[in-house]
Amino acid sequence: GAGVSQTPSNKVTEKGKYVELRCDPISGHTALYWYRQSLGQGPEFLIYFQGTGAADDSGLPNDRFFAVRPEGSVSTLKIQRTERGDSAVYLCASSKQGKSNQPQHFGDGTRLSIL
Amino acid sequence: GENVEQHPSTLSVQEGDSAVIKCTYSDSASNYFPWYKQELGKGPQLIIDIRSNVGEKKDQRIAVTLNKTAKHFSLHITETQPEDSAVYFCAASQSGGSYIPTFGRGTSLIVHP
């Protein structure tokens, strides 16, 4: 398919564990965004990549959260020492160049549950 | 930062009726306003957007209006169908910079057949 792909679709783990969430953006899209969506809420911005670099990471809640995009395509969101409050759907979106006239295309998210 | 308020949180209509969802924003510098539809277990999908140099935009059964002075914008769906049932999100952002949208809290639209 040509859309944004996120894996896994569901992840259940215990408190304190480390998790990695993967995002495959649409081919050719240089801008990539991570969001977190809690039940009954809209997506909340976490971090934005333009190419390989994190252009804006102001939404990351604390230093347990980190994301990389080493080759400017696939991105991985990493969460250390997970807490129950980290449970949410983590969404990834991509756009052609990260400009306002180019809409964001979302994946279906990873539902993370911390027991 | 930007703050987007969205109302109502839930909207129930009969098939064929119209549905209107309203949003307000706080930052007068915002100039791009997309609307997303999110079905259960899926990611948000862009359905229509409007920029601040336009007051209204229409695409078949959906339309969006923007009042820059009052800082509010609305989504209008006419002739609703059961497949329109979903959660709808409005968002606001600025061109330039990193184009990070601020989302509303969503409206759950239920269309009864």
Side-chain angles (χ1 to χ4, degrees):
Chain A
V4 176
S5 175
Q6 291 188 247
T7 54
S9 55
N10 285 281
K11 176 71 176 178
V12 181
T13 191
E14 295 178 342
K15 176 184 171 184
K17 298 293 186 183
Y18 168 82
V19 296
E20 288 190 353
L21 312 179
R22 176 187 168 108
C23 173
D24 276 277
I26 293 173
S27 178
H29 281 195
T30 61
L32 185 146
Y33 306 78
W34 283 99
Y35 295 87
R36 179 167 67 176
Q37 186 176 27
S38 300
L39 194 63
Q41 304 288 325
E44 291 182 284
F45 168 73
L46 295 176
I47 186 169
Y48 156 63
F49 287 90
Q50 184 59 259
T52 60
D56 186 339
D57 65 358
S58 62
L60 294 178
N62 51 60
D63 61 5
R64 295 187 297 105
F65 288 75
F66 189 70
V68 296
R69 195 185 185 200
E71 297 178 358
S73 179
V74 171
S75 177
T76 304
L77 178 66
K78 308 180 181 193
I79 311 174
Q80 298 177 321
R81 304 183 303 281
T82 52
E83 300 177 357
R84 292 197 177 90
D86 298 336
S87 296
V89 175
Y90 289 81
L91 294 165
C92 176
S94 69
S95 68
K96 283 186 179 178
Q97 292 177 354
K99 296 181 180 178
S100 66
N101 61 348
Q102 290 156 353
Q104 296 185 17
H105 301 267
F106 283 83
D108 288 338
T110 293
R111 182 175 300 278
L112 178 63
S113 300
I114 308 300
L115 304 180
Chain B
E2 177 64 274
N3 181 49
V4 175
E5 299 284 340
Q6 182 172 347
H7 300 279
S9 57
T10 304
L11 180 58
S12 183
V13 300
Q14 288 296 129
E15 182 177 1
D17 288 351
S18 294
V20 180
I21 302 170
K22 299 182 179 181
C23 290
T24 61
Y25 61 100
S26 61
D27 191 343
S28 57
S30 289
N31 56 10
Y32 176 65
F33 307 92
W35 285 88
Y36 289 86
K37 175 183 181 181
Q38 187 174 28
E39 298 177 334
L40 194 63
K42 300 290 187 182
Q45 300 299 312
L46 180 73
I47 55 172
I48 195 168
D49 56 15
I50 190 167
R51 302 178 196 285
S52 60
N53 59 346
V54 175
E56 183 174 357
K57 183 177 179 181
K58 190 173 182 179
D59 182 3
Q60 299 183 349
R61 296 188 296 109
I62 60 173
V64 58
T65 59
L66 170 66
N67 183 326
K68 288 172 53 181
T69 303
K71 295 206 282 286
H72 66 70
F73 55 114
S74 300
L75 177 72
H76 304 252
I77 306 174
T78 58
E79 301 173 27
T80 53
Q81 301 168 2
E83 50 266 39
D84 294 332
S85 297
V87 179
Y88 291 80
F89 292 96
C90 63
S93 68
Q94 301 177 28
S95 61
S98 53
Y99 171 42
I100 307 299
T102 300
F103 287 82
R105 294 185 63 169
T107 295
S108 178
L109 174 64
I110 303 166
V111 181
H112 299 280

